[in-house]
Amino acid sequence: MKFNEVIGQEEAKQRLLQLVHEHRVPHAMMFCGPDGCGKLPLALAFASFLLGEREDDSSIGNAEAMLRRWEHPDLHFSYPVIRPAGTSADHKMVSDDFAREWHALLAEGPYITIDQWLDAMKAANQQAQIYAAESDELTRKLSLKSSQGGYKVSLIWLPERMNAECANKLLKLLEEPPLQTVFIMVCEEPEKLLDTIRSRVQRIDMKRIGNEDIERALIEQRGIEQETARRIARVANGSWLKALETLDTGNENRMFLDMFIMLMRLSYMRNIKDLKKWSDTVATYGREKQKRMLDYFGRMIRENFVYNFKTPELNYMTQEEENFSRNFARFINESNVIDIAEELQKCKRDITQNGNAKIVFFDLALKMIVLLIRK
């Protein structure tokens, strides 16, 4: 993984290279930033650089060959895992238990989400965490001498998912790091980490990816036509993950758009019978999916309200979304936009608190009938 494979983030790249050139690489770093900005890809690129891979053909030793499949002996991955059903209670779960799945997911591309990782592990409803045994295993690995005579790199993805025992053991490692070892943490929610861990790492904050960088990557890497790439980049709002979702013809947001259109049309027609069917359908989604759908609905309400101002630079919609909004936007106005947004938030709150989904969504649908006729 080379720096030129990371989309955007030129400022962060230059900062990291400067640390190397000035021989000021800290023993522990934490990469933070918004979802989809490329924290893991940049961490992988930096780890690769420390282990000898270069942008040109001057890679040190066999670094490039070993890193191509992430099998460098001095690169150690730690990440959240599950305890599969049937696993012996005596077995202590560590990242290596899912090494095959991890390498397979990375082979598909370094821009990954926790949901993709859970799917790769076939987690179902299980929550992934980094168990205490991971710190013990990491201590053992890092106590060994570097096989290539250079750095040893410990890349920890989502350290905020460490359980308390693991976090305390990792803290001891950070306080007394093994020789020539660099810890790179890729963190989504740094506030959940122990204060003592945060105080011992150098934080690298990343910004959202620039629209121009996403547009360029879509054209060069995906062969997308320029106008389509421009529109996707605006909707992605600095997240390469969202840009990829938009490209996927079967992506979740397309389904959410269909459900949004159905809700609005049935509410306008006051079709109570079909609104009940709509409620029963969305009630079958998992709660996390229901919450994502309500967030999407909230965004669509905002976009339709803004669409009425006829200022295109303020709108962030796909072509399909705009096609619907062209006729629908006039129904979202000053009289109802705030109340609709609040009802969506109430619905999300009730779902989060384990409310009966059929009742919660049918209540939302009935309220939408009243709100859409306000002028």
Side-chain angles (χ1 to χ4, degrees), residues 13 61 66 105 118 129 172 207 271 322 353 370:
K13 293 176 191 176
M66 290 186 288
L105 188 60
L118 291 171
Q129 65 174 295
K172 293 181 180 179
K207 302 176 182 178
N271 189 331
E322 186 174 339
Q353 296 175 352
V370 177

Side-chain angles (χ1 to χ4, degrees), residues 91-310:
H91 179 72
K92 297 180 178 180
M93 299 300 302
V94 294
S95 298
D96 285 348
D97 290 323
F98 287 92
R100 185 180 63 179
E101 290 83 355
W102 176 255
H103 285 86
L105 188 60
L106 282 184
E108 296 176 8
Y111 291 82
I112 63 176
T113 66
I114 184 62
D115 288 335
Q116 290 173 321
W117 176 229
L118 291 171
D119 287 342
M121 291 190 292
K122 297 180 173 55
N125 293 323
Q126 287 195 61
Q127 294 297 312
Q129 65 174 295
I130 302 178
Y131 294 87
E134 186 67 27
S135 290
D136 297 330
E137 181 67 6
L138 202 52
T139 301
R140 183 190 67 79
K141 290 178 179 178
L142 296 177
S143 67
L144 302 175
K145 186 177 179 180
S146 167
S147 67
Q148 305 299 304
Y151 283 109
K152 293 175 289 185
V153 178
S154 169
L155 198 159
I156 306 174
W157 185 56
L158 305 184
E160 62 268 35
R161 287 179 175 256
M162 291 185 293
N163 66 20
E165 186 178 355
C166 180
N168 284 306
K169 287 182 177 181
L170 177 65
L171 178 59
K172 293 181 180 179
L173 264 179
L174 295 177
E175 290 173 336
E176 300 178 12
L179 185 66
Q180 277 194 297
T181 297
V182 176
F183 293 90
I184 305 176
M185 302 182 188
V186 179
C187 198
E188 295 285 350
E189 301 174 286
E191 68 279 359
K192 290 186 177 181
L193 274 173
L194 293 176
D195 291 340
T196 44
I197 289 181
R198 293 206 305 268
S199 67
R200 284 168 173 76
V201 302
Q202 180 168 325
R203 179 164 168 164
I204 304 292
D205 283 302
M206 298 168 59
K207 302 176 182 178
R208 295 184 182 278
I209 306 173
N211 285 359
E212 300 80 6
D213 293 320
I214 292 180
E215 181 179 337
R216 188 182 309 110
L218 288 169
I219 295 172
E220 294 176 357
Q221 297 182 20
R222 304 284 169 153
I224 305 299
E225 184 267 333
Q226 185 171 7
E227 175 56 29
T228 302
R230 184 193 66 80
R231 185 181 287 272
I232 292 175
R234 282 177 55 79
V235 172
N237 193 27
S239 170
W240 180 246
L241 291 171
K242 287 186 179 178
L244 294 180
E245 286 178 6
T246 306
L247 279 180
D248 182 5
T249 55
N251 78 81
E252 195 174 63
N253 279 358
R254 289 178 187 268
M255 182 187 69
F256 289 164
L257 174 60
D258 290 339
M259 299 310 292
F260 179 78
I261 292 173
M262 189 181 302
L263 172 63
M264 296 305 156
R265 286 178 173 167
L266 293 175
S267 297
Y268 179 75
M269 296 165 60
R270 305 184 188 184
N271 189 331
I272 305 294
K273 181 179 179 181
D274 285 343
L275 281 173
K276 182 63 170 63
K277 292 180 181 177
W278 178 90
S279 305
D280 292 344
T281 298
V282 296
T284 63
Y285 301 166
R287 293 193 185 276
E288 292 303 316
K289 186 174 181 178
Q290 289 167 352
K291 289 192 288 184
R292 291 195 299 272
M293 183 186 74
L294 289 166
D295 286 338
Y296 176 85
F297 285 8
R299 183 177 74 80
M300 284 301 295
I301 292 299
R302 179 264 179 200
E303 295 298 336
N304 277 270
F305 179 66
V306 173
Y307 190 85
N308 292 308
F309 300 150
K310 303 189 183 304

